[in-house]
Amino acid sequence: LGLAGVAIVAVALGFLVSMSALLLEEMSFRLYPRWGQAARLAIAAARFNELVTRKLLEGALAALAAHGVAVEDVDVVWVPGAFELPLVARRLAGSRTYDAVICLGCVIRGETVHFEHVAGQAAAGIREAGQTTGVPVTFGVLTTETLGQALDRAGGKHGNKGWDAATAAIEMSSLLEQLPKEAEP
Ligand code: INI
């Protein structure tokens, strides 16, 4: 290699190193360092459409177990319907007992004329529970036209929304822990 060759190799190496550093920095937010045995989780599940929500719960617990969470330590709280999820999610998140709260429910349009109210209020209230407490509260509430569509998303051909809500809780808790804390007003 001539001098020019050495210079080109050095520049290329430098580029590779800085790119991988960038990549690592981005990826570090995707690691779950504190997760596993020490994680404290609560799940609020709606009994309405229990055939579906039990499958969502199974999916959520399986996801937590896959990430090393001791599922016997996960607190599961049942509420009558999706409309009741926000209040209980707010209580659980506000207790400072949990690293994250997972909400599970199933609202089926065909079964109710007040679908929009139940589904909309559940979504808005669950978002608010997370925002007001600063504790991740995730949305594992199915809103579908039919029971078949719900079952497809509760361990059927479209996956399991309970699993997704649990992994979102893990990611969000880990992410918030690593981000700078909010300054005092
Ligand atoms: N709750 C649900 O979780 N899913 C539904 O599909 C549903 N429907 O069809 O009405 C439902 N209604 C009950 C509601 O969540 C409350 O429990 C009830 O209104 C009492 O406040």
Side-chain angles (χ1 to χ4, degrees):
L1 277 180
L3 203 57
V6 171
I8 288 170
V9 170
V11 168
L13 272 178
F15 178 74
L16 277 178
V17 168
S18 55
M19 283 313 288
S20 50
L22 268 180
L23 215 63
L24 272 180
E25 194 173 315
E26 192 172 313
M27 281 174 60
S28 67
F29 285 123
R30 292 180 172 274
L31 301 177
Y32 312 131
R34 266 201 57 235
W35 281 81
Q37 298 295 324
R40 299 164 309 163
L41 265 298
I43 299 177
R47 250 190 333 267
F48 207 102
N49 291 318
E50 192 172 343
L51 175 70
V52 177
T53 60
R54 279 215 172 265
K55 292 178 191 295
L56 295 176
L57 178 60
E58 281 165 23
L61 291 173
L64 296 178
H67 285 89
V69 175
V71 290
E72 58 277 12
D73 295 341
V74 175
D75 290 333
V76 179
V77 182
W78 287 93
V79 300
F83 192 80
E84 281 73 38
L85 286 171
L87 181 60
V88 169
R90 173 78 171 80
R91 175 71 67 88
L92 292 168
S95 72
R96 305 277 147 203
T97 307
Y98 303 104
D99 296 310
V101 177
I102 299 155
C103 293
L104 305 175
C106 173
V107 193
I108 300 175
R109 187 191 293 273
E111 287 179 16
T112 175
V113 286
H114 58 282
F115 171 93
E116 265 83 17
H117 298 295
V118 175
Q121 290 304 314
I126 287 168
R127 175 192 48 72
E128 196 178 331
Q131 272 184 344
T132 54
T133 59
V135 172
V137 180
T138 61
F139 186 71
V141 180
L142 291 171
T143 54
T144 63
E145 296 291 329
T146 65
L147 176 63
Q149 289 172 349
L151 288 170
D152 285 346
R153 291 158 179 79
K157 66 180 176 203
H158 292 309
N160 189 315
K161 181 87 176 162
W163 175 291
D164 298 345
T167 53
I170 291 172
E171 180 171 350
M172 284 302 291
S173 170
S174 172
L175 178 61
L176 288 186
E177 203 166 85
Q178 295 170 72
L179 291 178
K181 301 284 172 272
E182 242 175 78
E184 294 296 327

